[in-house]
Amino acid sequence: MENPMNLEGHNVIVTGAAQGIGEAVSRLVVGLGGKAIMVDMQRDKLEALSEDLGQDKTDVHVGSVADPAFVQSMVNDAVSKNGAVHGLVNNAGIVRAAMAVKMPVQTWQEVIDVNLSGAFYCLQAVGRHMMERAADGDTAPASIVNISSDAGRRGTMGQINYGAAKSGVLGLTMSAAREWAAKQVRVNSICFGVVETEMTETIRSDKFRDGVMSQVPMKRFSDPEEVSRPVCFLLSPAASYITGQHLSVNGGYTIGV
């Protein structure tokens, strides 16, 4: 039986690819037969990952998704080198914590620039390419997966900037999905709960762990390898009739929401 999640021949841009979820997704894309076009600001980590996965199966692009000029140049280069981009995983993100009444404007703006505007710049640049291919009669796969968060559905204390950005990502997903569905360009989002990465070290600390865990029916956190699988599902032919959806991957944290 053919593997419905086979990504052979798929060129997939993964932002925030140097560590955590982005690294795990890049590894699985390659493991499923695809090519990972990896984007991050951490050159050393990207180059080490590329060496590990195989330079023929990866491309490395160093820069910030918050820079629209870099994003467009990166997409143009990826298309030029590989012929086409078939998938995008909008994963790059940062956190800058502060309570709402004390949050400096710069702290607000830094998170919005990366987590929301950066997601839009990548979605727009890749979407243009995918729509152009479709207009030329190209029926090759075209799938975008935006990484959101439970914070975008339920809010989050001390990170109103992050919660607002991740809510905005849901809006990006639905709007782009409606605009591009007729051309078979699929756009979906994934809302993660607590994944064991550097970004969640504080919430997984002794101070907060028990309180957070008490709200997770499965009574455990996830790890990057585990959550990379639903991302690649949405990229793959197995999800060919799914668009405009928000998939919760959080151990049941948002049951009923």
Side-chain angles (χ1 to χ4, degrees):
M1 177 181 176
E2 183 179 350
N3 178 7
M5 285 181 59
N6 182 12
L7 293 178
E8 186 173 352
H10 292 221
N11 303 312
V12 180
I13 295 174
V14 183
T15 69
Q19 62 189 32
I21 294 168
E23 177 185 347
V25 169
S26 298
R27 289 185 179 279
L28 187 54
V29 165
V30 171
L32 291 169
K35 184 170 188 176
I37 301 164
M38 305 183 300
V39 181
D40 206 293
M41 296 182 68
Q42 302 179 81
R43 180 183 296 275
D44 290 348
K45 287 186 176 181
L46 277 186
E47 291 180 347
L49 181 57
S50 177
E51 184 73 22
D52 186 33
L53 294 178
Q55 294 180 350
D56 59 326
K57 300 174 183 177
T58 57
D59 278 340
V60 168
H61 296 266
V62 180
S64 172
V65 298
D67 177 357
F70 162 75
V71 169
Q72 189 62 63
S73 175
M74 175 270 294
V75 173
N76 290 346
D77 188 52
V79 172
S80 177
K81 284 183 178 178
N82 301 290
V85 170
H86 305 99
L88 164 67
V89 180
N90 253 328
N91 170 71
I94 62 172
V95 291
R96 299 287 187 270
M99 300 302 285
V101 296
K102 296 181 178 180
M103 180 170 288
V105 170
Q106 182 180 356
T107 301
W108 164 269
Q109 197 63 53
E110 286 176 351
V111 170
I112 296 298
D113 286 348
V114 174
N115 296 38
L116 181 57
S117 296
F120 169 70
Y121 300 147
C122 293
L123 177 142
Q124 183 185 55
V126 172
R128 283 173 177 156
H129 162 67
M130 290 177 169
M131 290 291 283
E132 288 169 1
R133 284 201 291 111
D136 290 339
D138 189 340
T139 59
S143 177
I144 295 173
V145 182
N146 296 320
I147 305 304
S148 184
S149 168
D150 287 341
R153 286 188 155 181
R154 295 190 57 177
T156 178
M157 291 183 64
Q159 294 181 347
I160 195 170
N161 47 5
Y162 186 79
K166 290 304 187 180
S167 254
V169 167
L170 303 181
L172 288 182
T173 297
M174 294 182 289
S175 297
R178 287 186 180 276
E179 290 188 14
W180 301 340
K183 295 297 185 182
Q184 309 307 306
V185 176
R186 300 185 296 107
V187 188
N188 294 287
S189 64
I190 289 189
C191 298
F192 290 132
V194 179
V195 184
E196 293 177 342
T197 66
E198 290 184 17
M199 191 178 289
T200 64
E201 284 180 348
T202 297
I203 201 169
R204 291 185 291 110
S205 67
D206 292 343
K207 182 177 180 180
F208 300 109
R209 172 180 288 269
D210 290 346
V212 174
M213 190 71 76
S214 68
Q215 301 176 65
V216 180
M218 291 186 73
K219 300 302 179 188
R220 64 180 179 84
F221 299 140
S222 56
D223 61 42
E225 181 179 358
E226 182 175 35
V227 301
S228 70
R229 297 165 192 155
V231 174
C232 287
F233 162 71
L234 288 175
L235 289 171
S236 78
S240 60
Y241 200 53
I242 300 174
T243 196
Q245 302 304 304
H246 313 312
L247 176 61
S248 291
V249 180
N250 56 19
Y253 177 67
T254 51
I255 290 173
V257 176

